[in-house]
């Protein structure tokens, strides 16, 4: 068996362990080994790795394993993605109808912004589907909002790395980007003027969770010939209002 095949098999077995514990509530090494059809030593190693990552925990007095708190963290992240998409879709539709442009909701996913909801306005000239697309943080309005409110370590990692150039207007200077992020935090919205694609402009505003943390960015984008740079502040004001409504629906009371 190749190293790649072995790694895939290990991942498959680890997932099977988690699924087994989800079904049974708790199980011992022997039970898990029997269900997976592997030696007890293999089951023990899998459980050890999962325990180190907090995905399973062991009741020392009974020798049984059950799902750990780490699963709650993963489930919580998935729930946020589903909730913001469900709550935000009708609001995206309203703003898209009103502005005539494309409206998206994006969330932070490591070093990128991922779009989880989208609606196209009647004036939209593109049929491109942004859903699920990973877009760069430094070259999009949504990315700048997410980066402006990201943990310091995540923000420093982006600012300290290479900022890829997509167009002549892409911000590739860490100092300039830092200034834009500060401005985005202060004014409540960010803009991207032909930074990801020539002829595409966008604005975005933050979406807050119940605890005040920014969990997403709501953006409106359109062609530069119709959505000129001078019109972005007006669209930003409306985008901020819709983002505030979505924040309220997500439990934010600020």
């Amino acid at each position: 068996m190749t190293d790649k095949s072995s790694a895939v098999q290990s991942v498959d077995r680890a997932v099977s362990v988690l699924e087994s514990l989800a079904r049974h509530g708790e199980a011992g090494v022997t039970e898990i080994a029997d269900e997976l059809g592997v030696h007890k030593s293999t089951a023990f190693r899998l459980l050890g790795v999962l325990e180190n990552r907090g995905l399973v925990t062991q009741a020392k007095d009974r020798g049984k394993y059950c799902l750990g708190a780490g699963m709650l963290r993963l489930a919580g992240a998935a729930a946020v993605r589903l909730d913001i998409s469900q709550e935000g879709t009708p609001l995206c539709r309203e703003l898209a109808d009103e502005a005539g442009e494309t409206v998206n909701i994006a969330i932070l996913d490591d070093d990128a912004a991922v779009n989880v909801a989208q609606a196209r306005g009647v004036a939209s000239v593109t049929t491109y589907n942004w859903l699920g697309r990973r877009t760069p943080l430094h070259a999009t309005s949504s990315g700048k909002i997410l980066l402006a409110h990201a943990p310091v370590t995540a923000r420093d990692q982006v600012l300290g790395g290479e900022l890829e150039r997509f167009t002549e207007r892409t911000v590739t200077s860490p100092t300039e980007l830092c200034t834009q992020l500060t401005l985005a935090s202060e004014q409540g919205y960010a803009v991207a003027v032909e930074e990801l694609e020539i002829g595409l402009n966008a604005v975005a505003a933050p979406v807050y969770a119940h605890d005040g943390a920014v969990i997403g960015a709501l953006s409106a984008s359109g062609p530069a010939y119709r959505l000129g740079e001078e019109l972005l502040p007006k669209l930003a004001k409306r985008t901020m209002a819709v983002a505030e409504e979505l924040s309220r629906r997500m439990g934010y009371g600020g």
Side-chain angles (χ1 to χ4, degrees):
M1 183 180 292
T2 65
D3 290 342
K4 185 176 181 180
S5 298
S6 178
V8 171
Q9 184 182 58
S10 295
V11 171
D12 183 68
R13 286 173 172 173
V15 172
S16 296
V17 171
L18 296 175
E19 290 176 338
S20 176
L21 293 177
R23 285 194 303 272
H24 302 302
E26 62 177 26
V29 175
T30 300
E31 298 168 86
I32 291 173
D34 289 344
E35 185 162 338
L36 268 61
V38 299
H39 194 274
K40 283 178 60 176
S41 61
T42 300
F44 187 77
R45 285 196 300 272
L46 287 169
L47 287 164
V49 171
L50 293 171
E51 186 175 20
N52 288 337
R53 299 302 294 267
L55 298 178
V56 305
T57 187
Q58 182 181 17
K60 304 296 184 182
D61 56 334
R62 299 194 306 277
K64 300 281 188 177
Y65 289 85
C66 60
L67 295 178
M71 292 298 298
L72 295 176
R73 182 182 69 252
L74 297 179
V80 166
R81 180 178 294 209
L82 291 173
D83 286 348
I84 197 172
S85 177
Q86 281 186 329
E87 295 292 344
T89 295
L91 293 176
C92 284
R93 179 74 272 156
E94 291 177 16
L95 181 57
D97 288 343
E98 178 184 336
E101 307 296 355
T102 299
V103 178
N104 285 282
I105 296 174
I107 61 172
L108 184 65
D109 185 23
D110 292 330
D111 60 349
V114 176
N115 293 292
V116 297
Q118 176 180 273
R120 297 191 187 94
V122 293
S124 177
V125 295
T126 178
T127 58
Y128 189 85
N129 185 2
W130 292 87
L131 278 177
R133 180 178 173 183
R134 290 170 59 84
T135 56
L137 297 175
H138 69 287
T140 60
S141 58
S142 291
K144 290 177 186 178
I145 283 293
L146 295 170
L147 192 56
H149 296 277
V152 175
T153 52
R155 183 169 169 171
D156 288 347
Q157 184 175 357
V158 173
L159 291 171
E162 181 181 355
L163 300 176
E164 182 179 354
R165 180 176 295 281
F166 298 94
T167 74
E168 291 184 358
R169 302 198 66 170
T170 304
V171 176
T172 57
S173 163
T175 301
E176 184 179 350
L177 179 59
C178 189
T179 299
Q180 288 193 6
L181 297 181
T182 300
L183 180 61
S185 296
E186 293 174 349
Q187 66 186 9
Y189 71 91
V191 303
V193 180
E194 298 188 272
E195 295 178 43
L196 180 62
E197 296 179 6
I198 294 295
L200 179 66
N201 291 344
V203 298
V207 178
Y208 295 88
H210 65 91
D211 59 357
V214 171
I215 55 172
L218 187 144
S219 68
S221 61
Y225 69 80
R226 187 173 62 241
L227 188 58
E229 194 170 349
E230 72 283 358
L231 298 177
L232 294 181
K234 181 179 180 180
L235 181 58
K237 184 176 181 180
R238 183 66 187 118
T239 302
M240 289 168 64
V242 176
E244 288 173 3
E245 173 58 27
L246 180 52
S247 296
R248 283 192 289 272
R249 296 189 182 189
M250 297 301 292
Y252 180 61

